[in-house]
Coordinates of all heavy atoms in Angstrom, one line a residue:
C1087 N -99.6 75.3 -99.5 CA -100.2 75.8 -100.7 C -99.2 76.9 -101.3 O -99.0 76.9 -102.5 CB -101.5 76.4 -100.4 SG -102.8 75.1 -100.0
E1088 N -98.7 77.7 -100.5 CA -97.8 78.8 -101.0 C -96.5 78.2 -101.6 O -96.0 78.9 -102.5 CB -97.5 79.8 -99.8 CG -98.7 80.6 -99.4 CD -98.3 81.5 -98.2 OE1 -97.2 81.3 -97.6 OE2 -99.1 82.5 -97.9
G1090 N -96.5 75.4 -103.3 CA -96.9 74.5 -104.4 C -97.1 73.1 -104.0 O -97.3 72.3 -104.9
V1092 N -99.8 71.4 -103.0 CA -101.2 71.4 -102.8 C -101.7 70.1 -102.2 O -102.6 70.1 -101.4 CB -101.9 71.8 -104.1 CG1 -103.4 71.8 -103.9 CG2 -101.4 73.1 -104.7
E1115 N -110.1 79.7 -98.5 CA -109.8 80.6 -99.7 C -108.4 80.2 -100.3 O -108.3 80.1 -101.5 CB -109.8 82.0 -99.3 CG -109.7 83.0 -100.5 CD -109.8 84.4 -100.0 OE1 -109.5 84.8 -98.9 OE2 -110.2 85.2 -100.9
T1116 N -107.4 80.0 -99.4 CA -106.1 79.7 -99.9 C -106.1 78.4 -100.6 O -105.5 78.2 -101.7 CB -105.1 79.7 -98.7 OG1 -105.1 80.9 -98.1 CG2 -103.7 79.3 -99.2
L1117 N -106.8 77.4 -100.0 CA -106.8 76.0 -100.6 C -107.6 76.0 -101.9 O -107.2 75.4 -102.9 CB -107.3 75.0 -99.6 CG -107.2 73.5 -100.0 CD1 -105.7 73.2 -100.3 CD2 -107.7 72.7 -98.9
V1118 N -108.7 76.7 -102.0 CA -109.5 76.8 -103.2 C -108.7 77.4 -104.3 O -108.7 77.0 -105.5 CB -110.8 77.5 -103.0 CG1 -111.5 77.9 -104.3 CG2 -111.8 76.7 -102.1
R1119 N -108.0 78.5 -104.0 CA -107.2 79.2 -105.0 C -106.1 78.3 -105.5 O -105.8 78.3 -106.7 CB -106.6 80.5 -104.3 CG -105.9 81.4 -105.3 CD -105.3 82.6 -104.6 NE -106.3 83.4 -104.0 CZ -107.0 84.3 -104.6 NH1 -106.9 84.5 -105.9 NH2 -107.9 85.0 -103.9
A1120 N -105.5 77.6 -104.6 CA -104.4 76.7 -105.0 C -104.9 75.6 -105.9 O -104.2 75.2 -106.9 CB -103.7 76.1 -103.7
L1121 N -106.1 75.0 -105.6 CA -106.7 74.0 -106.4 C -107.0 74.5 -107.8 O -106.8 73.8 -108.8 CB -107.9 73.4 -105.7 CG -107.6 72.5 -104.5 CD1 -108.9 72.3 -103.7 CD2 -106.9 71.2 -104.8
C1122 N -107.6 75.7 -107.8 CA -107.9 76.3 -109.1 C -106.6 76.6 -110.0 O -106.7 76.4 -111.2 CB -108.6 77.7 -108.9 SG -110.3 77.5 -108.3
D1123 N -105.6 77.0 -109.3 CA -104.3 77.3 -110.0 C -103.8 76.0 -110.6 O -103.0 76.0 -111.6 CB -103.3 77.9 -109.1 CG -103.7 79.3 -108.7 OD1 -104.5 79.9 -109.4 OD2 -103.1 79.9 -107.7
C1124 N -104.1 74.8 -110.0 CA -103.6 73.5 -110.5 C -104.7 72.9 -111.5 O -104.6 71.7 -111.8 CB -103.4 72.6 -109.4 SG -102.0 73.1 -108.3
D1125 N -105.7 73.7 -111.9 CA -106.8 73.2 -112.7 C -107.5 72.0 -112.1 O -108.0 71.2 -112.8 CB -106.2 72.8 -114.1 CG -105.7 74.0 -114.9 OD1 -106.3 75.1 -114.7 OD2 -104.7 73.9 -115.6
R1126 N -107.7 72.1 -110.8 CA -108.4 71.0 -110.1 C -109.8 71.6 -109.7 O -110.1 71.7 -108.5 CB -107.6 70.4 -109.0 CG -106.4 69.7 -109.4 CD -105.4 69.4 -108.3 NE -106.1 68.5 -107.2 CZ -105.4 68.1 -106.2 NH1 -104.1 68.4 -106.0 NH2 -106.1 67.3 -105.3
D1127 N -110.5 72.0 -110.7 CA -111.8 72.8 -110.5 C -112.8 71.9 -109.7 O -113.5 72.5 -108.8 CB -112.4 73.3 -111.8 CG -111.5 74.4 -112.4 OD1 -110.5 74.7 -111.8 OD2 -111.9 74.9 -113.5
A1130 N -111.9 71.9 -106.1 CA -112.2 73.3 -105.6 C -113.7 73.4 -105.4 O -114.1 74.0 -104.4 CB -111.7 74.3 -106.5
G1151 N -113.2 86.4 -106.5 CA -113.0 86.0 -107.8 C -112.9 84.5 -108.0 O -112.8 83.9 -109.1
L1152 N -113.1 83.7 -106.9 CA -113.0 82.3 -107.0 C -114.4 81.7 -107.3 O -114.5 80.6 -107.8 CB -112.5 81.7 -105.6 CG -111.1 82.2 -105.3 CD1 -110.7 81.7 -103.9 CD2 -110.1 81.7 -106.3
R1155 N -115.0 81.1 -110.9 CA -114.1 80.1 -111.5 C -114.7 78.7 -111.3 O -114.6 77.8 -112.1 CB -112.8 80.2 -110.8 CG -111.7 79.1 -111.2 CD -111.2 79.4 -112.6 NE -110.3 78.3 -113.0 CZ -108.9 78.4 -112.7 NH1 -108.4 79.4 -112.1 NH2 -108.2 77.4 -113.2
V1156 N -115.3 78.4 -110.1 CA -115.8 77.1 -109.8 C -117.3 77.0 -109.9 O -117.9 76.0 -109.5 CB -115.4 76.7 -108.4 CG1 -113.9 76.6 -108.3 CG2 -115.9 77.6 -107.3

Side-chain angles (χ1 to χ4, degrees):
C1087 291
E1088 288 177 347
V1092 181
E1115 185 176 28
T1116 299
L1117 189 53
V1118 168
R1119 188 183 299 277
L1121 290 168
C1122 288
D1123 290 343
C1124 296
D1125 295 324
R1126 294 170 59 177
D1127 290 358
L1152 297 174
R1155 176 75 182 268
V1156 296

